[in-house]
Amino acid sequence: MTSFEKFVSVCKRIESISGSLEITSIVAQFLKELDEEELGITTYFIMGKVFPVWAEAELGIGPNLLYSAISRTSSLPVKRVEELIKETGDVGLAAEKAILSGKNHMNFFSTEELSIRDVHTRFQKIASLTGKGSQDAKIKNLQYLFGAAMPDESVYIARLSIEELRIGVGEGIVRDAIAQAFNVTAELIERGYMLTNDFGLVAITAKNEGTSGLEKLSVILGRPLKMMLAQVAGSIKEAVEEMGSVAVEWKFDGARVQIHKDGDKIIIYSRKLENVTLSLPDVVTAVKSHVTAKSAILDGEVVAIGKDNRPLAFQEILRRFRRKYEISATALEIPLYLNLFDVLYLNGESLIDMPLKHRREMLEKVCDKGIVARQAITGDTSVVDSIYKDALAAGHEGVMLKNPGSLYTPGKRGKNWLKLKPIMETLDLVVIGGEWGEGRRANFIGSYLLACRDPDSDRLLSIGRVATGITDGQLNELTGVFKELIISESGIHIEFEPKVVFEIAFEEIQKSPNYDSGYALRFPRLVNIRSDKSLEDADSIEKVEQLYIRQKGK
Ligand code: AMP
């Protein structure tokens, strides 16, 4: 049985280095030493998780509960615990300090060592506590763990209890470490993970059965698998040239659902793979009455249609997904309509390795027409164009262009599913910095750092870089203009006086910690140099926030 102390020492080693190859090999070495059960648990723990992604168990430990448990264990007042968190910037270090300075630490007298399994079992117990009195019971269980832990173990118990380990081990490292530990390819581990959402299961399979076992891993009814994602299409013409003929469907303005049907038991998962079944009774009824398959995993989009027959804003759909009370009233107010576009599993068999065309035939066989998204297979760009226009006219987002011969690749944003939608509104942004180019472009400024205004603080907040959409002629001209505005340089980085405004098109706004604004632009492209606009005319952070909220799915 492996001690929790051993896990802690591995975490500490990882924290002291930064190279991901070295981290991977430390994790791999550790995974090799574990028995089956510990191996499963450790693949979660090492990423700061307690349960696999698909599991519905939740610890339900918030900051207040954690502070109370630390306070009770150490006999320090909660206020002092909070101060320690402020001082150290970390709940783990604060827990250690508190417990070391406290009086009631039982491990100073205890000889029993905590094992990895003990910690997990206790967390399972905590997750199982619900209802009246559960808060106090959770605190007591956590207090027990802290009491039984050595001070340095309490660092990691505190962090695990709020599922933030902060040692920089993510999915990529765990995937590579499992592959390294059990001498199998990272691709097979990745595939297994996309199918099962469970590194524990994948690692145990790799350990016990190697490559052949991993190859046998498949879709599991009742366990969500990652959804296939789409890339942006360059144009209809490009997509048709690439695929020959394309399967065209409306890109519905709604929310993604993955539906698992096992006889009368229906489970609906959201895009984030949360079980949203209870909030969507009308969708459950639709599946029960319109899907004839005994068992199936179906992929689709639900849309809410307003009185004017147009899709309601995404926020309205979210109200449905998040609803815990008065569900039927909200369902009447915002009814959802199902548009299924794929089937991944049918009557005991996985279909993900079958071509889309075949999956589509199966889908049509087992579902009534009314809940299946219409699809046309065509090589004629004018047909695609007219479907695209119809979709926009009906208030939807655009079209999806799918390769009819493609397999379903869970979790992948590949070339087999392309999305085509109108470019969003543009933003007028101030250029605050840049970078010298490389190679042929070494004497030119190759990319520009953009910012929006913050009217409250009068500051400029960075939001991304643009390098696309700049013609060779503009490259020269802009370099000339911006050379006059250089404030400082360091290596290839340049800072400019904020004078020039660029009009920027983009695919999407995303949240991002990398820029001061907290947002980043996906696929930014220079549309115009707005010499008619001054710094004060540039768009503000409010506009960015509005556009972000208006985007679908965010
Ligand atoms: P995006 O979120 O912009 O990457 O676009 C992909 C999303 O479009 C999917 O996750 C679905 O929620 C949504 N979608 C709407 N209609 C379809 C469709 N016919 N096929 C696939 N995805 C669709």
Side-chain angles (χ1 to χ4, degrees):
M1 199 184 287
T2 310
S3 67
F4 190 66
E5 181 63 43
K6 186 80 213 292
F7 171 77
V8 166
S9 73
V10 168
C11 291
K12 283 186 174 168
R13 269 184 74 200
I14 293 172
E15 278 174 300
S16 69
I17 53 178
S18 57
S20 56
L21 284 181
E22 206 182 335
I23 296 179
T24 307
S25 94
I26 293 171
V27 178
Q29 190 52 42
F30 184 49
L31 296 183
K32 256 200 232 178
E33 294 167 18
L34 304 171
D35 71 23
E36 202 175 286
E37 193 184 347
E38 293 162 350
L39 174 62
I41 297 170
T42 304
T43 61
Y44 317 138
F45 274 8
I46 201 82
M47 285 200 296
K49 298 271 175 280
V50 174
F51 303 111
V53 180
W54 59 267
E56 279 166 35
E58 268 180 42
L59 286 176
I61 300 176
N64 289 341
L65 203 147
L66 174 62
Y67 304 166
S68 301
I70 299 174
S71 154
R72 285 200 212 167
T73 315
S74 62
S75 307
L76 295 180
V78 170
K79 213 165 172 335
R80 178 66 195 130
V81 173
E82 285 173 354
E83 279 166 14
L84 283 173
I85 290 167
K86 276 215 183 95
E87 282 165 27
T88 58
D90 171 40
V91 286
L93 297 175
E96 183 184 32
K97 272 198 165 180
I99 289 167
L100 272 174
S101 67
K103 310 175 218 117
N104 293 347
H105 195 256
M106 60 193 219
N107 205 283
F108 294 146
F109 314 101
S110 146
T111 49
E112 288 274 317
E113 214 180 39
L114 266 182
S115 68
I116 291 179
R117 210 167 292 165
D118 292 336
V119 176
H120 192 253
T121 309
R122 189 61 61 168
F123 276 137
Q124 272 177 322
K125 169 101 197 136
I126 290 175
S128 72
L129 297 164
T130 52
K132 204 163 165 259
S134 65
Q135 295 297 89
D136 201 50
K138 280 180 199 269
I139 294 176
K140 284 209 174 88
N141 276 280
L142 204 49
Q143 200 183 338
Y144 171 87
L145 266 182
F146 282 130
M150 298 301 288
D152 63 347
E153 291 175 319
S154 56
V155 175
Y156 298 89
I157 288 174
R159 291 183 188 167
L160 274 176
S161 71
I162 51 165
E163 301 201 280
E164 270 185 34
L165 200 58
R166 294 189 176 190
I167 60 166
V169 175
E171 291 182 356
I173 288 182
V174 173
R175 175 198 61 209
D176 294 349
I178 299 172
Q180 203 171 313
F182 305 112
N183 214 5
V184 292
T185 65
E187 286 73 34
L188 264 182
I189 301 294
E190 172 88 9
R191 175 185 172 276
Y193 181 56
M194 292 299 160
L195 285 169
T196 63
N197 265 303
D198 190 340
F199 270 132
L201 173 67
V202 176
I204 293 168
T205 310
K207 179 183 169 81
N208 293 343
E209 299 165 62
T211 299
S212 65
L214 289 169
E215 280 169 350
K216 274 191 245 130
L217 280 182
S218 187
V219 179
I220 304 170
L221 186 62
R223 187 178 293 189
L225 63 153
K226 293 221 191 304
M227 309 213 181
M228 184 162 172
L229 301 168
Q231 271 184 12
V232 178
S235 66
I236 295 179
K237 193 162 159 273
E238 229 174 77
V240 171
E241 271 167 14
E242 181 117 330
M243 297 183 197
S245 62
V246 290
V248 195
E249 294 159 8
W250 281 10
K251 185 175 189 314
F252 297 98
D253 187 359
R256 185 88 174 254
V257 285
Q258 188 181 96
I259 301 171
H260 291 234
K261 176 178 191 298
D262 186 1
D264 262 353
K265 185 165 190 273
I266 315 285
I267 310 177
I268 308 172
Y269 294 100
S270 70
R271 172 149 179 174
K272 286 194 193 146
L273 309 186
E274 289 157 341
N275 183 339
V276 289
T277 318
L278 287 179
S279 307
L280 309 178
D282 42 350
V283 182
V284 172
T285 308
V287 174
K288 279 189 180 162
S289 38
H290 298 292
V291 179
T292 55
K294 189 168 175 313
S295 65
I297 301 179
L298 304 157
D299 192 359
E301 184 95 348
V302 287
V303 289
I305 302 288
K307 292 204 175 71
D308 55 358
N309 239 346
R310 297 174 69 80
L312 294 177
F314 185 70
Q315 277 69 18
E316 298 294 315
I317 301 185
L318 272 195
R319 279 179 57 207
R320 286 293 318 271
F321 272 61
R322 294 200 181 129
R323 204 80 200 169
K324 294 225 162 69
Y325 309 100
E326 294 172 11
I327 289 170
S328 359
T330 324
L332 281 180
E333 189 195 336
I334 313 166
L336 294 177
Y337 299 91
L338 190 51
N339 295 282
L340 295 172
F341 47 72
D342 221 319
V343 52
L344 321 180
Y345 173 101
L346 188 59
N347 297 333
E349 273 182 54
S350 162
L351 297 185
I352 62 165
D353 293 324
M354 303 268 185
L356 170 63
K357 221 174 149 179
H358 179 83
R359 299 200 305 273
R360 173 79 198 190
E361 280 164 18
M362 295 292 141
L363 182 69
E364 286 175 11
K365 257 194 197 149
V366 299
C367 302
D368 290 341
K369 237 184 175 166
I371 57 164
V372 176
R374 267 187 296 164
Q375 188 195 71
I377 296 191
T378 178
D380 184 342
T381 51
S382 63
V383 174
V384 181
D385 193 53
S386 92
I387 299 175
Y388 177 61
K389 290 201 173 105
D390 288 349
L392 294 181
H396 289 283
E397 289 182 6
V399 283
M400 298 289 297
L401 306 174
K402 299 179 179 175
N403 183 343
S406 63
L407 315 184
Y408 191 94
T409 44
K412 289 268 149 45
R413 201 178 277 287
K415 274 198 192 143
N416 286 321
W417 279 22
L418 298 177
K419 53 184 172 184
L420 187 77
K421 44 185 188 178
I423 292 180
M424 275 185 87
E425 230 169 296
T426 55
L427 280 171
D428 293 330
L429 299 167
V430 189
V431 182
I432 56 169
E435 279 182 7
W436 292 106
E438 286 173 344
R440 192 171 67 83
R441 294 185 158 199
N443 292 326
F444 298 107
I445 299 164
S447 77
Y448 292 90
L449 181 63
L450 307 163
C452 57
R453 285 182 308 111
D454 178 4
D456 295 337
S457 69
D458 229 14
R459 281 196 317 142
L460 290 170
L461 307 173
S462 61
I463 186 165
R465 292 176 186 281
V466 65
T468 310
I470 306 173
T471 60
D472 276 359
Q474 274 177 330
L475 195 67
N476 200 357
E477 187 194 322
L478 286 174
T479 302
V481 172
F482 279 98
K483 265 188 178 164
E484 304 296 313
L485 300 176
I486 294 178
I487 299 177
S488 66
E489 280 184 69
S490 134
I492 57 164
H493 305 286
I494 328 167
E495 189 189 344
F496 299 128
E497 270 181 66
K499 288 241 162 92
V500 179
V501 175
F502 279 0
E503 181 181 351
I504 301 290
F506 49 89
E507 163 68 26
E508 197 172 38
I509 301 175
Q510 297 175 317
K511 288 249 186 211
S512 164
N514 299 333
Y515 296 105
D516 303 334
S517 61
Y519 294 95
L521 304 177
R522 206 151 158 239
F523 303 126
R525 189 163 58 75
L526 176 66
V527 181
N528 265 313
I529 302 156
R530 297 300 300 258
S531 27
D532 56 323
K533 290 206 165 183
S534 63
L535 176 60
E536 293 71 35
D537 301 319
D539 282 319
S540 66
I541 181 75
E542 275 92 10
K543 167 94 183 267
V544 175
E545 273 158 4
Q546 273 167 10
L547 289 182
Y548 176 77
I549 291 166
R550 251 178 36 205
Q551 272 173 204
K552 312 294 135 35
K554 301 290 177 308

